[in-house]
Short mmCIF file of all heavy atoms in Angstrom, two decimals:
data_model
loop_
_atom_site.label_atom_id
_atom_site.label_comp_id
_atom_site.label_asym_id
_atom_site.label_seq_id
_atom_site.Cartn_x
_atom_site.Cartn_y
_atom_site.Cartn_z
N PHE K 434 -8.82 0.21 14.15
CA PHE K 434 -9.22 0.95 12.96
C PHE K 434 -10.71 0.76 12.68
O PHE K 434 -11.45 1.72 12.46
CB PHE K 434 -8.41 0.52 11.74
CG PHE K 434 -9.02 0.95 10.44
CD1 PHE K 434 -8.95 2.27 10.03
CD2 PHE K 434 -9.72 0.05 9.65
CE1 PHE K 434 -9.55 2.69 8.85
CE2 PHE K 434 -10.33 0.45 8.47
CZ PHE K 434 -10.24 1.77 8.07
N ILE K 435 -11.16 -0.49 12.68
CA ILE K 435 -12.56 -0.78 12.38
C ILE K 435 -13.47 -0.11 13.41
O ILE K 435 -14.49 0.49 13.05
CB ILE K 435 -12.79 -2.31 12.31
CG1 ILE K 435 -12.08 -2.87 11.08
CG2 ILE K 435 -14.28 -2.64 12.28
CD1 ILE K 435 -12.00 -4.40 11.03
N TYR K 436 -13.09 -0.18 14.67
CA TYR K 436 -13.89 0.45 15.72
C TYR K 436 -13.97 1.97 15.53
O TYR K 436 -15.06 2.55 15.51
CB TYR K 436 -13.30 0.12 17.10
CG TYR K 436 -13.99 0.86 18.22
CD1 TYR K 436 -15.24 0.47 18.67
CD2 TYR K 436 -13.39 1.98 18.80
CE1 TYR K 436 -15.89 1.17 19.68
CE2 TYR K 436 -14.02 2.68 19.81
CZ TYR K 436 -15.27 2.27 20.25
OH TYR K 436 -15.90 2.98 21.24
N LEU K 437 -12.81 2.61 15.38
CA LEU K 437 -12.79 4.08 15.25
C LEU K 437 -13.47 4.53 13.97
O LEU K 437 -14.22 5.52 13.97
CB LEU K 437 -11.34 4.60 15.29
CG LEU K 437 -10.60 4.46 16.61
CD1 LEU K 437 -9.14 4.85 16.44
CD2 LEU K 437 -11.27 5.31 17.69
N ASN K 438 -13.23 3.84 12.89
CA ASN K 438 -13.82 4.22 11.62
C ASN K 438 -15.34 4.10 11.67
O ASN K 438 -16.07 4.95 11.13
CB ASN K 438 -13.24 3.35 10.50
CG ASN K 438 -13.92 3.59 9.18
OD1 ASN K 438 -14.88 2.90 8.85
ND2 ASN K 438 -13.43 4.56 8.43
N ASN K 439 -15.84 3.07 12.31
CA ASN K 439 -17.29 2.85 12.37
C ASN K 439 -17.99 3.75 13.37
O ASN K 439 -19.23 3.73 13.44
CB ASN K 439 -17.60 1.37 12.64
CG ASN K 439 -17.47 0.56 11.38
OD1 ASN K 439 -18.14 0.82 10.38
ND2 ASN K 439 -16.58 -0.42 11.41
N LEU K 440 -17.25 4.56 14.11
CA LEU K 440 -17.89 5.58 14.94
C LEU K 440 -18.46 6.70 14.10
O LEU K 440 -19.31 7.46 14.55
CB LEU K 440 -16.88 6.17 15.95
CG LEU K 440 -16.39 5.25 17.06
CD1 LEU K 440 -15.31 5.95 17.88
CD2 LEU K 440 -17.54 4.80 17.94
N GLY K 441 -17.98 6.81 12.87
CA GLY K 441 -18.42 7.88 11.97
C GLY K 441 -19.86 7.72 11.53
O GLY K 441 -20.42 6.62 11.52
N THR K 442 -20.44 8.85 11.16
CA THR K 442 -21.81 8.86 10.62
C THR K 442 -21.84 9.76 9.39
O THR K 442 -20.99 10.64 9.23
CB THR K 442 -22.82 9.41 11.65
OG1 THR K 442 -22.51 10.78 11.91
CG2 THR K 442 -22.79 8.61 12.94
N GLU K 443 -22.82 9.55 8.56
CA GLU K 443 -22.94 10.37 7.35
C GLU K 443 -23.05 11.85 7.67
O GLU K 443 -22.62 12.69 6.89
CB GLU K 443 -24.14 9.91 6.51
CG GLU K 443 -23.89 8.62 5.80
CD GLU K 443 -25.04 8.24 4.88
OE1 GLU K 443 -25.81 9.14 4.45
OE2 GLU K 443 -25.17 7.04 4.59
N ALA K 444 -23.61 12.17 8.83
CA ALA K 444 -23.76 13.58 9.22
C ALA K 444 -22.40 14.27 9.37
O ALA K 444 -22.30 15.49 9.16
CB ALA K 444 -24.54 13.68 10.52
N TRP K 445 -21.38 13.53 9.73
CA TRP K 445 -20.04 14.11 9.92
C TRP K 445 -19.11 13.88 8.73
O TRP K 445 -18.00 14.43 8.72
CB TRP K 445 -19.40 13.52 11.18
CG TRP K 445 -19.98 14.10 12.42
CD1 TRP K 445 -21.00 13.61 13.18
CD2 TRP K 445 -19.58 15.32 13.04
NE1 TRP K 445 -21.26 14.45 14.23
CE2 TRP K 445 -20.39 15.50 14.17
CE3 TRP K 445 -18.60 16.29 12.75
CZ2 TRP K 445 -20.27 16.61 15.00
CZ3 TRP K 445 -18.48 17.37 13.58
CH2 TRP K 445 -19.31 17.53 14.69
N ASP K 446 -19.50 13.10 7.76
CA ASP K 446 -18.62 12.78 6.63
C ASP K 446 -18.12 14.03 5.91
O ASP K 446 -16.92 14.15 5.59
CB ASP K 446 -19.32 11.87 5.63
CG ASP K 446 -19.52 10.46 6.16
OD1 ASP K 446 -19.01 10.14 7.26
OD2 ASP K 446 -20.18 9.66 5.46
N GLY K 447 -19.00 14.96 5.64
CA GLY K 447 -18.60 16.19 4.93
C GLY K 447 -17.56 16.98 5.71
O GLY K 447 -16.60 17.49 5.13
N PHE K 448 -17.75 17.09 7.02
CA PHE K 448 -16.79 17.82 7.85
C PHE K 448 -15.41 17.18 7.76
O PHE K 448 -14.42 17.88 7.54
CB PHE K 448 -17.25 17.85 9.31
CG PHE K 448 -16.20 18.38 10.25
CD1 PHE K 448 -15.97 19.73 10.36
CD2 PHE K 448 -15.40 17.50 10.99
CE1 PHE K 448 -14.97 20.22 11.21
CE2 PHE K 448 -14.41 17.97 11.83
CZ PHE K 448 -14.19 19.34 11.95
N TRP K 449 -15.34 15.85 7.94
CA TRP K 449 -14.02 15.18 7.95
C TRP K 449 -13.40 15.15 6.56
O TRP K 449 -12.17 15.21 6.44
CB TRP K 449 -14.13 13.79 8.57
CG TRP K 449 -14.30 13.89 10.06
CD1 TRP K 449 -15.43 13.63 10.77
CD2 TRP K 449 -13.33 14.36 11.00
NE1 TRP K 449 -15.22 13.89 12.11
CE2 TRP K 449 -13.93 14.34 12.28
CE3 TRP K 449 -12.01 14.79 10.91
CZ2 TRP K 449 -13.26 14.72 13.43
CZ3 TRP K 449 -11.34 15.18 12.06
CH2 TRP K 449 -11.96 15.15 13.30
N MET K 450 -14.20 15.09 5.51
CA MET K 450 -13.63 15.19 4.16
C MET K 450 -13.06 16.58 3.92
O MET K 450 -11.99 16.73 3.33
CB MET K 450 -14.69 14.86 3.10
CG MET K 450 -14.90 13.37 2.89
SD MET K 450 -13.40 12.49 2.41
CE MET K 450 -13.02 13.26 0.85
N PHE K 451 -13.76 17.60 4.39
CA PHE K 451 -13.23 18.96 4.29
C PHE K 451 -11.94 19.08 5.09
O PHE K 451 -10.95 19.63 4.61
CB PHE K 451 -14.26 19.97 4.80
CG PHE K 451 -13.76 21.39 4.78
CD1 PHE K 451 -13.88 22.16 3.64
CD2 PHE K 451 -13.13 21.94 5.89
CE1 PHE K 451 -13.40 23.46 3.60
CE2 PHE K 451 -12.63 23.23 5.87
CZ PHE K 451 -12.78 24.00 4.72
N TYR K 452 -11.94 18.55 6.31
CA TYR K 452 -10.79 18.67 7.20
C TYR K 452 -9.56 17.99 6.62
O TYR K 452 -8.45 18.50 6.73
CB TYR K 452 -11.13 18.06 8.57
CG TYR K 452 -10.20 18.51 9.67
CD1 TYR K 452 -10.53 19.59 10.46
CD2 TYR K 452 -8.98 17.87 9.91
CE1 TYR K 452 -9.69 20.03 11.47
CE2 TYR K 452 -8.14 18.30 10.91
CZ TYR K 452 -8.49 19.38 11.69
OH TYR K 452 -7.65 19.82 12.68
N THR K 453 -9.73 16.84 6.01
CA THR K 453 -8.60 16.06 5.53
C THR K 453 -8.01 16.56 4.21
O THR K 453 -6.94 16.15 3.82
CB THR K 453 -8.97 14.57 5.42
OG1 THR K 453 -7.78 13.78 5.46
CG2 THR K 453 -9.76 14.26 4.17
N THR K 454 -8.73 17.45 3.53
CA THR K 454 -8.27 17.96 2.23
C THR K 454 -7.24 19.07 2.44
O THR K 454 -7.55 20.12 2.98
CB THR K 454 -9.46 18.46 1.40
OG1 THR K 454 -10.40 17.39 1.28
CG2 THR K 454 -9.02 18.93 0.03
N LYS K 455 -6.02 18.81 1.99
CA LYS K 455 -4.90 19.74 2.24
C LYS K 455 -5.16 21.15 1.72
O LYS K 455 -4.82 22.12 2.37
CB LYS K 455 -3.62 19.20 1.58
CG LYS K 455 -3.08 17.96 2.21
CD LYS K 455 -1.84 17.51 1.44
CE LYS K 455 -1.40 16.14 1.87
NZ LYS K 455 -0.25 15.68 1.12
#
Side-chain angles (χ1 to χ4, degrees):
F434 164 75
I435 291 169
Y436 174 76
L437 292 173
N438 174 268
N439 281 302
L440 291 175
T442 65
E443 286 185 23
W445 284 94
D446 289 354
F448 170 79
W449 287 108
M450 279 302 298
F451 177 87
Y452 198 94
T453 202
T454 304
K455 292 178 190 178

